[in-house]
Amino acid sequence: MTELSSKLLSDYSKLSEDDIVRCEMPADIAEKCLKFCQTFVGGSWNNAKSSSEITIKRISGGLANLMVHVHLNESVAKETNFVYCKEPSDVAIKLYSEKHLNFDSTDSGRFNELNILTITSQNGISPTIYGIASDGFVQSFYQVRNSANFIYFTLNILIFSMSSLELNINKMVNCCKSWPNKLLVFTTY
């Protein structure tokens, strides 16, 4: 290892998680996540009386937006969910940062993202989308170990599956570069 690379590695290891990712955790994140889950997933999530009955962990990787893993604690009473037969106790929530909240029809990047996520979710290609709001969305969460072979295998399947989809998006926008990042939530714990 060269002197420069060892210095960079040393400097990088001193950074906090908030130094690495630009979007800060809002003070009301727990309440907001609980409200998202109660609104879009329902069932047992509605039995959580306060945000202390859920566990939130940041998923690294986002530079502008915030992605979190939300877990419904075992102490919350279970209830039949009439919308989702297999109710999730773990979900991933993406919250848009302040600069991305002012969404209008001219924001083709965000429109394309939501359109692609919805279509691929309905076709079973990407995580299930439980709900979309103006400031973020709730999707299924998958615990995946960081395995290069698994990631390459999964991306090949996704690319093959997506090549057969007819997406009603602006074909002049080069949005295909970021699809794999937006379709999968990979995390290591």
Side-chain angles (χ1 to χ4, degrees):
M1 186 179 300
T2 68
E3 183 179 331
L4 177 61
S5 60
S6 63
K7 179 173 178 7
L8 289 174
L9 185 59
S10 170
D11 291 345
Y12 181 77
S13 65
K14 294 175 188 171
L15 295 175
S16 71
E17 184 176 336
D18 285 330
D19 291 332
I20 296 170
V21 288
R22 295 181 193 157
C23 185
E24 295 181 22
M25 292 275 274
D28 64 341
I29 185 76
E31 292 81 17
K32 192 172 211 171
C33 288
L34 179 59
K35 182 83 170 147
F36 263 57
C37 293
Q38 289 174 333
T39 302
F40 295 119
V41 181
S44 303
W45 290 88
N46 289 331
N47 292 334
K49 303 298 181 217
S50 73
S51 59
S52 64
E53 295 182 295
I54 62 173
T55 306
I56 298 173
K57 183 164 185 162
R58 178 183 217 139
I59 299 172
S60 63
L63 294 176
N65 300 312
L66 177 64
M67 183 74 95
V68 292
H69 167 209
V70 183
H71 173 75
L72 182 65
N73 296 342
E74 300 298 322
S75 60
V76 176
K78 300 298 177 212
E79 181 180 310
T80 302
N81 190 320
F82 296 104
V83 178
Y84 301 106
C85 298
K86 191 174 178 184
E87 180 182 78
S89 58
D90 293 277
V91 295
I93 298 179
K94 180 177 185 178
L95 298 170
Y96 297 112
S97 65
E98 288 296 322
K99 82 174 205 177
H100 296 292
L101 285 180
N102 298 326
F103 174 67
D104 60 25
S105 60
T106 62
D107 184 6
S108 62
R110 180 147 155 225
F111 176 78
N112 287 349
E113 174 188 21
L114 295 175
N115 194 359
I116 291 166
L117 283 171
T118 303
I119 292 170
T120 56
S121 174
Q122 290 172 346
N123 284 285
I125 298 172
S126 70
T128 303
I129 300 295
Y130 296 113
I132 298 173
S134 61
D135 53 348
F137 60 87
V138 181
Q139 68 180 25
S140 55
F141 175 81
Y142 297 101
Q143 178 71 41
V144 178
R145 301 279 180 233
N146 191 6
S147 168
N149 290 338
F150 176 78
I151 292 170
Y152 290 129
F153 176 75
T154 304
L155 287 175
N156 283 330
I157 290 173
L158 282 172
I159 290 168
F160 177 76
S161 300
M162 290 186 67
S163 66
S164 64
L165 291 178
E166 292 183 24
L167 298 173
N168 52 343
I169 59 173
N170 181 352
K171 307 302 189 265
M172 299 304 291
V173 177
N174 189 2
C175 62
C176 297
K177 291 180 185 176
S178 61
W179 281 359
N181 296 332
K182 293 179 180 177
L183 295 176
L184 296 175
V185 176
F186 289 111
T187 182
T188 56
Y189 287 121

